[in-house]
Amino acid sequence: MTYEQILQHYFGYSSFRSIQLDIIRSIGSGHDTLGLMPTGGGKSITFQVPALAMNGVCLVISPLVALMKDQVEHLKARGIKAEAVYSGLTHDEVQRILDNAIFGAVKFLYVSPERLSNELFLSKLFYMNVCFITVDEAHCISQWGYDFRPSYLKICKLRDVKPGVPVLALTATATPEVAVDIKEKLMFGEDANTFSMSFRRPNLSYVVRDTEDKFRELMHIISSVRGSVIVYTRNREKTRKLAMALCEEGVSATFYHAGLDFTIKNERQQKWQAGEIRVMVATNAFGMGIDKPDVRLVIHIDCPDSVEAYFQEAGRAGRDGKRSYAVLLHNKGDHASLLRHVDTAFPPKDYIIKVYDQLAYFFELAVETGAGRTYEFNEQLFCIRFHHFPIALEGALSVLQNAGYINFNQDDENRPRVIFNVTRSELYNVTNLTPNEENTLNALLRTYGSLFSDLTYIDFKVIQLRAKLSHDELHNALKSLAARRLIRYVPARNIPTITYTRQRTDSRLLNLSKAVYEDQRSRMSKRITKILQYVSENDTCRERMLMEYFGETTKEDCGHCDVCLS
């Protein structure tokens, strides 16, 4: 099939948008390719379509487990063979997925960048027929970017395992400086191509509102504009309080942050996407990979710490092309708050060293041991035991991660687990089961053979499909079966983890280099200065300021931001 026929057959679109086809032809011809596309620009099409036209597996490197799972489910729903490898899978499950990829039973294999240093993965990758490698959120590889992740630097090592295999790098937020750095870090060849889509969004109006009473202004905006809403705030507890305050004013609202149980997050996201809840109050943990085209309002009640973060989050409004608004509420307190953020993100070096030692005491880890070990991290207990504030602690952990000593994962999702408390014969004699309970038991028995002997991880989506139940119906049926003592059910939950990426070092030898500490601190300070300039400037078109930040010069004002309208 041609690229156009694949697009129509699998995805239901009649034509490509903007630079999509240019990127597809480039990577399809074997050229290293960088695609710069704003949020909602259709990045996934640029690697899914050419991969379906080629022989072999497309290896997709993505930083977010939730995003990987979401894309895999969407591909499977279209009859496309896709799998994801992430923490929480058993060794046997990982081995099965990788073997299937070797034997051609997987078209898209999603992995996290941390997986690239795993010996099992690298040994299996050697035997895979890889058509090309896709690096999503490619700005994470650049120390000049706003979301640098050291694990991304390992991607270039794939060139040794798979020489000659082209790389497609995709990002929605890259300044010209970051774009150059991405190509250098990924070792792009001389024949590499770069395609940039205009970052302009003609249907999106950027607005900055100066107000001392942000909640009153928030209510005014929500009541003035119809449609679905995302409200971003920087604080987890604030999401809850703000959602409750909106509900008290008669607005249908809920909240979302990384610390919530997986089942709760999934339930709230589904209700918001279905339109049952109008307003989602969230931290930046919400939004990546969310495909809801009719969001009319994205409101930042707290000022983000970079133009890149703001642009990406604001871009989740108006993906259907209809008039939408990105509103940033601002007051004098935001300046002081953001400047303090530099100090919390980069606490003093002696504090960071103290945290490193206390982690070892917490996990009972001796010097020169621990490389590769992963520990569940009860952050609240750690803070109580060693007298830390969470914000400063997370800053220290982030610096230790960037220095290459640990990997701090706040979004590690454990899948649900089930084991039968009764024998097979006892189960068959059970009566008075509800239809949902019976369908759930039948689906479990058809899917897993180890439930009578082992506490087994289950794939919620697979059981849902086989039992023909909604997420909530399946969850309630499992809870009901557990209450009747027929099964033990351990729901999915978020468990932050810390992985030691090297042996525990004597803290006197800890190396927090200038590149890791002073340079990164300076870059964060510069990014904060830029976002404060954006909110303070009142005589330049908002869209022009954003476009120029990303290297796109234009003399035309948008005509519909707050500056233009004033």
Side-chain angles (χ1 to χ4, degrees), residues 15-73:
S15 61
F16 292 102
R17 295 161 52 189
S18 187
I19 61 171
Q20 284 180 328
L21 189 55
D22 294 326
I23 294 173
I24 289 167
R25 285 172 174 162
S26 175
I27 193 66
S29 300
H31 298 285
D32 290 333
T33 306
L34 173 62
L36 306 172
M37 306 174 74
T39 301
K43 288 189 296 176
S44 58
I45 289 293
T46 64
F47 66 85
Q48 290 170 352
V49 167
L52 288 167
M54 302 165 74
N55 292 322
V57 61
C58 176
L59 180 65
V60 185
I61 300 164
S62 177
L64 294 173
V65 172
L67 185 58
M68 287 195 284
K69 289 180 178 179
D70 186 62
Q71 292 210 2
V72 166
E73 288 167 7

Side-chain angles (χ1 to χ4, degrees), residues 92-149:
D92 288 346
E93 288 172 322
V94 172
Q95 186 149 319
R96 174 185 59 79
I97 291 171
L98 297 179
D99 285 341
N100 285 342
I102 291 171
F103 295 119
V106 175
K107 186 54 170 174
F108 294 93
L109 178 62
Y110 287 76
V111 299
S112 66
E114 289 77 18
R115 184 67 52 175
L116 305 183
S117 57
N118 179 273
E119 290 184 13
L120 172 64
F121 173 78
L122 291 173
S123 64
K124 297 288 186 181
L125 179 65
F126 180 81
Y127 296 101
M128 288 183 203
N129 176 24
V130 178
C131 54
F132 64 91
I133 298 165
T134 299
V135 181
D136 200 10
E137 308 297 335
H139 60 272
C140 293
I141 203 170
S142 174
Q143 292 194 41
W144 299 100
Y146 79 105
D147 194 20
F148 171 64
R149 304 196 184 193

Side-chain angles (χ1 to χ4, degrees), residues 30 36 183 187 194 214 240 269 277 327 400 440 455 495:
L36 306 172
K183 289 184 282 188
M187 301 171 63
T194 299
K214 289 188 176 184
R240 183 185 66 82
Q269 180 179 314
I277 293 173
V327 184
L400 288 169
T440 298
L455 188 61
I495 307 173

Side-chain angles (χ1 to χ4, degrees), residues 351-496:
Y351 175 82
I352 298 169
I353 293 169
K354 181 172 71 173
V355 167
Y356 182 76
D357 275 337
Q358 289 170 344
L359 283 175
Y361 305 151
F362 192 65
F363 299 130
E364 299 180 352
L365 188 63
V367 173
E368 298 301 325
T369 65
R373 292 187 198 172
T374 298
Y375 298 91
E376 291 185 7
F377 183 55
N378 187 329
E379 186 175 343
Q380 184 179 15
L381 178 60
F382 186 88
C383 286
I384 292 171
R385 184 175 297 178
F386 296 106
H387 311 292
H388 290 292
F389 291 106
I391 295 175
L393 171 64
E394 290 179 10
L397 295 174
S398 177
V399 173
L400 288 169
Q401 176 168 281
N402 289 344
Y405 290 101
I406 65 169
N407 178 45
F408 176 42
N409 189 352
Q410 293 178 281
D411 301 312
D412 218 355
E413 293 175 354
N414 258 356
R415 290 181 302 150
R417 290 173 289 172
V418 169
I419 186 173
F420 281 107
N421 290 331
V422 295
T423 65
R424 191 179 293 271
S425 59
E426 288 173 330
L427 184 63
Y428 289 141
N429 292 325
V430 175
T431 58
N432 301 322
L433 291 171
T434 67
N436 285 0
E437 290 171 342
E438 192 164 346
N439 290 340
T440 298
L441 286 174
N442 288 334
L444 289 170
L445 291 167
R446 290 203 312 270
T447 309
Y448 301 100
S450 58
L451 292 172
F452 289 97
S453 56
D454 298 308
L455 188 61
T456 303
Y457 287 105
I458 63 170
D459 190 319
F460 221 78
K461 285 290 183 182
V462 171
I463 303 302
Q464 266 186 259
L465 290 171
R466 292 189 171 178
K468 297 180 179 179
L469 298 174
S470 69
H471 182 280
D472 290 346
E473 287 173 335
L474 175 57
H475 178 62
N476 290 332
L478 288 166
K479 287 201 299 183
S480 177
L481 291 167
R484 298 179 64 167
R485 302 189 182 281
L486 298 177
I487 66 169
R488 180 187 170 200
Y489 169 46
V490 181
R493 61 194 180 102
N494 271 62
I495 307 173

Side-chain angles (χ1 to χ4, degrees), residues 146-147 233-235 283-284 302-307 309 313 333-348 352 390-396 398-399 410 517 520-529 531-532:
Y146 79 105
D147 194 20
T233 181
R234 297 173 61 83
N235 182 280
T283 61
N284 60 5
D302 293 324
C303 192
D305 61 8
S306 71
V307 174
E313 290 158 10
D334 290 323
H335 287 251
S337 176
L338 279 179
L339 293 174
R340 282 196 303 271
H341 185 56
V342 178
D343 292 327
T344 55
F346 292 90
I352 298 169
I391 295 175
L393 171 64
E394 290 179 10
S398 177
V399 173
Q410 293 178 281
Y517 189 85
Q520 288 285 46
R521 180 185 170 96
S522 175
R523 287 166 189 154
M524 171 175 274
S525 183
K526 289 176 181 176
R527 288 195 294 270
I528 286 174
T529 299
I531 191 69
L532 290 176

